[in-house]
């Protein structure tokens, strides 16, 4: 952290090529710090100054436009030394939030703005734009998923020069085959399944593992395809629990170690059912916290097991992997791809381009219009990738498929 004196001197500073601001929003994933590092190192060498906006969109919303104010909790100057120390670690040293400045509840409005914005729901975008101008920001680089980047699209349409970097372990940002955090999530999932399978085998049980994935089932599909699980149920297809029970018990009975495993996306739904939420509270983007489908699947499987196991009940190992797959250091892909994405963003800035999102498509780095974030959805194409009868991925036609098999143009 730089001193307050240095923080305060940043406003309206003129540098050789300008000022770049970078932020991370939404859920943390491994790979964010390497992306911040890549942007900062390259930008500093090219003659720019880099500001890190803290706590996602919250930091720039809460800036006090007064040179005497202490804004150290809202932004900081990024130097090579700072980002080099953080660049090899997980999480985000800039911290994060799910703040949505265009839809801010009265209770969340910063204290110094409460007199101006006192409706039940407020749009603080004018303040965000003024704050960016006060800081002298020429280019803004948000790193996030479709929620965080959707507000980036909104700012771009208001005239802010935005270049987006896709991040989410769900891998569901449209326009790109790869989002930062996905590889580590899949790697951690496989690792943890292999850790837990010894208990499943020792007790001859069925194992139900709930994984992240609100609307897209990529985090369940890839580990299953890699052989870590027997079956998976995903948000894109409403499954019949009786069929899942039949398949899992058949898998168990044909396994010499007498166990089988199913991965359950948090957004998966029983046929004719709805998503399962852990509470009624919603975040700034209108999303209620998911959680509990794994518990219900476990209960139903145990209840149904005698019908497919000669009248004998099979016990269940039920585990929610949750934050364990998004914590810790990045793997190889989530160290390399963020480095490339950060440099791609600087390439665009040096060309004077903005309103773009850097992407990886069909094994090649590229960029596309940022509007793709809000104009389409990225989900598993069930007809091509998911066997609805067998409740698992298809294992055919891999020739000429993209590196991660399920591409961005589904």
């Amino acid at each position: 952290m730089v001193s307050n004196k240095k923080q305060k001197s940043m406003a309206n500073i003129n540098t050789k090529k300008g000022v770049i601001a970078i932020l991370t929003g939404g859920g943390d994933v491994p790979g964010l710090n390497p992306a911040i590092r890549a942007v900062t190192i390259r930008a500093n060498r090219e003659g720019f100054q880099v500001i890190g906006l803290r706590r996602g969109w919250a930091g720039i919303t809460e800036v006090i436009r007064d040179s005497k104010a202490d804004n150290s909790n809202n932004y900081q100057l990024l130097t090579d030394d700072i980002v080099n120390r953080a660049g090899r670690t997980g999480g985000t040293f800039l911290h994060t939030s799910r703040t949505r400045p265009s839809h801010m509840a009265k209770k969340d409005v910063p204290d110094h703005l409460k007199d101006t914005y006192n409706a039940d729901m407020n749009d603080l975008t004018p303040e965000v734009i003024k704050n960016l101008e006060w800081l002298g920001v020429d280019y803004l680089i948000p790193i996030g998923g479709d929620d965080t980047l959707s507000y980036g699209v909104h700012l771009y349409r208001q005239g802010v020069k935005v270049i987006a970097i896709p991040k989410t372990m769900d891998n569901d940002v449209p326009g790109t085959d790869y989002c930062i955090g996905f590889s580590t999530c899949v790697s951690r999932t496989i690792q943890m399944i292999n850790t837990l399978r010894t208990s499943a085998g020792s007790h001859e049980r069925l194992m139900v593992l709930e994984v992240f994935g609100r609307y897209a089932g990529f985090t369940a599909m890839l580990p299953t395809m890699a052989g870590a699980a027997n079956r998976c149920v995903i948000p894109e297809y409403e499954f019949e629990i009786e069929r899942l029970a039949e398949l899992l018990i058949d898998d168990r009975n044909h396994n010499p170690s007498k166990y089988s495993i199913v991965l359950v996306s948090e957004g998966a739904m029983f046929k004719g059912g709805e998503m399962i939420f852990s509470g009624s509270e919603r975040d700034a983007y209108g999303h209620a916290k998911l959680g509990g489908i794994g518990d219900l699947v476990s209960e139903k499987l145990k209840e149904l097991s005698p019908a497919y196991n000669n009248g004998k009940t099979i016990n269940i190992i039920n585990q929610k992997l949750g934050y364990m797959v998004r914590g810790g250091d990045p793997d190889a892909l989530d160290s390399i791809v963020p480095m490339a994405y950060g440099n791609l963003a600087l390439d665009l800035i040096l060309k004077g381009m903005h309103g773009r999102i850097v992407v990886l498509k069909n094994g090649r780095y590229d960029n596309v219009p940022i509007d793709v974030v809000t104009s389409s959805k990225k989900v598993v194409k069930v007809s091509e990738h998911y066997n609805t009868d067998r409740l698992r991925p298809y294992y055919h036609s891999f020739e000429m498929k993209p590196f991660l098999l399920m591409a961005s143009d589904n």
Side-chain angles (χ1 to χ4, degrees):
M1 179 72 68
V2 298
S3 68
N4 289 340
K5 183 177 180 180
K6 287 184 178 180
Q7 293 268 17
K8 294 171 184 175
S9 69
M10 288 163 52
N12 299 309
I13 191 168
N14 291 316
T15 59
K16 182 179 180 181
K17 289 188 177 179
V19 178
I20 297 170
I22 185 169
L23 65 85
T24 55
D28 67 299
V29 298
L32 289 171
N33 288 335
I36 297 167
R37 178 187 185 277
V39 170
T40 303
I41 296 292
R42 176 83 180 281
N44 286 342
R45 290 176 181 172
E46 295 287 351
F48 291 90
Q49 184 182 53
V50 185
I51 298 173
L53 303 179
R54 296 175 57 77
R55 295 170 291 107
W57 294 115
I60 189 61
T61 304
E62 297 172 10
V63 164
I64 298 174
R65 297 188 298 274
D66 184 341
S67 60
K68 297 179 180 179
D70 180 5
N71 279 300
S72 60
N73 195 41
N74 299 323
Y75 62 85
Q76 68 181 104
L77 177 68
L78 297 185
T79 65
D80 289 9
D81 287 344
I82 290 173
V83 298
N84 274 326
R85 286 197 299 271
R88 294 179 293 275
T89 62
T92 165
F93 76 92
L94 290 179
H95 299 176
T96 185
S97 71
R98 297 190 184 278
T99 302
R100 188 183 186 188
S102 59
H103 296 71
M104 186 167 288
K106 185 177 181 179
K107 64 180 179 62
D108 297 323
V109 173
D111 290 341
H112 69 285
L113 297 175
K114 287 187 182 296
D115 289 341
T116 306
Y117 299 90
N118 50 30
D120 290 339
M121 189 63 64
N122 302 272
D123 183 2
L124 271 64
T125 301
E127 300 299 323
V128 170
I129 293 174
K130 290 176 184 177
N131 291 343
L132 289 170
E133 292 173 348
W134 185 77
L135 289 172
V137 172
D138 297 289
Y139 290 91
L140 176 62
I141 302 179
I143 308 175
D146 53 354
D147 287 337
T148 298
L149 298 187
S150 67
Y151 186 70
V153 173
H154 180 65
L155 285 179
Y156 166 66
R157 291 171 177 167
Q158 300 294 315
V160 179
K161 295 178 180 179
V162 179
I163 298 169
I165 296 179
K167 171 276 322 177
T168 171
M169 61 186 175
D170 290 355
N171 205 38
D172 61 352
V173 174
T176 183
D177 293 350
Y178 191 78
C179 302
I180 295 172
F182 181 58
S183 176
T184 306
C185 173
V186 172
S187 298
R188 295 269 198 280
T189 300
I190 294 172
Q191 179 185 20
M192 289 175 185
I193 292 172
N194 289 337
T195 297
L196 292 168
R197 72 172 65 248
T198 57
S199 292
S202 297
H203 296 276
E204 299 185 354
R205 294 181 179 180
L206 305 180
M207 185 157 68
V208 178
L209 301 176
E210 183 180 317
V211 297
F212 283 118
R214 177 179 291 270
Y215 300 118
F218 300 111
T219 55
M221 287 282 284
L222 264 293
T224 304
M225 187 173 282
N230 302 91
R231 312 286 163 177
C232 63
V233 290
I234 59 177
E236 294 87 344
Y237 179 77
E238 295 181 4
F239 68 98
E240 294 182 351
I241 187 63
E242 292 82 2
R243 180 57 174 159
L244 179 60
E246 178 185 10
L247 290 168
L248 281 174
I249 293 169
D250 184 66
D251 293 333
R252 173 184 177 271
N253 292 338
H254 282 87
N255 182 351
S257 295
K258 291 295 181 182
Y259 73 92
S260 58
I261 300 171
V262 59
L263 290 183
V264 180
S265 296
E266 62 179 351
M269 294 171 284
F270 294 113
K271 188 172 183 179
E274 298 178 342
M275 287 185 180
I276 307 300
F277 302 104
S278 61
S280 59
E281 185 177 353
R282 294 180 177 271
D283 66 17
Y285 294 88
H287 301 315
K289 187 175 178 60
L290 288 171
I293 182 64
D295 297 334
L296 292 180
V297 168
S298 297
E299 292 173 10
K300 286 293 185 180
L301 287 176
K302 184 173 181 179
E303 177 184 317
L304 292 168
S305 62
Y308 304 98
N309 190 47
N310 300 317
K312 297 179 180 179
T313 298
I314 302 174
N315 287 323
I316 313 292
I317 290 177
N318 174 23
Q319 182 71 51
K320 183 186 295 186
L321 297 187
Y323 286 89
M324 292 184 289
V325 303
R326 75 186 327 161
D329 297 340
D331 69 3
L333 274 183
D334 282 325
S335 299
I336 296 169
V337 174
M339 175 277 300
Y341 278 174
N343 279 280
L344 285 166
L346 262 295
D347 289 338
L348 290 170
I349 290 174
L350 290 172
K351 295 175 183 176
M353 297 176 65
H354 53 90
R356 313 291 291 182
I357 178 172
V358 298
V359 300
L360 184 58
K361 294 195 64 164
N362 297 319
R364 295 185 180 275
Y365 292 104
D366 201 353
N367 65 87
V368 297
I370 195 174
D371 303 84
V372 71
V373 173
T374 55
S375 62
S376 62
K377 296 291 183 183
K378 180 184 174 187
V379 295
V380 173
K381 188 174 183 180
V382 171
S383 62
E384 183 175 344
H385 296 294
Y386 188 66
N387 188 326
T388 57
D389 177 54
R390 306 300 294 170
L391 300 181
R392 66 184 181 192
Y394 278 121
Y395 295 89
H396 59 68
S397 302
F398 289 116
E399 187 176 3
M400 300 305 294
K401 288 289 178 66
F403 174 54
L404 293 172
L405 304 173
M406 287 163 276
S408 58
D409 56 355
N410 288 331

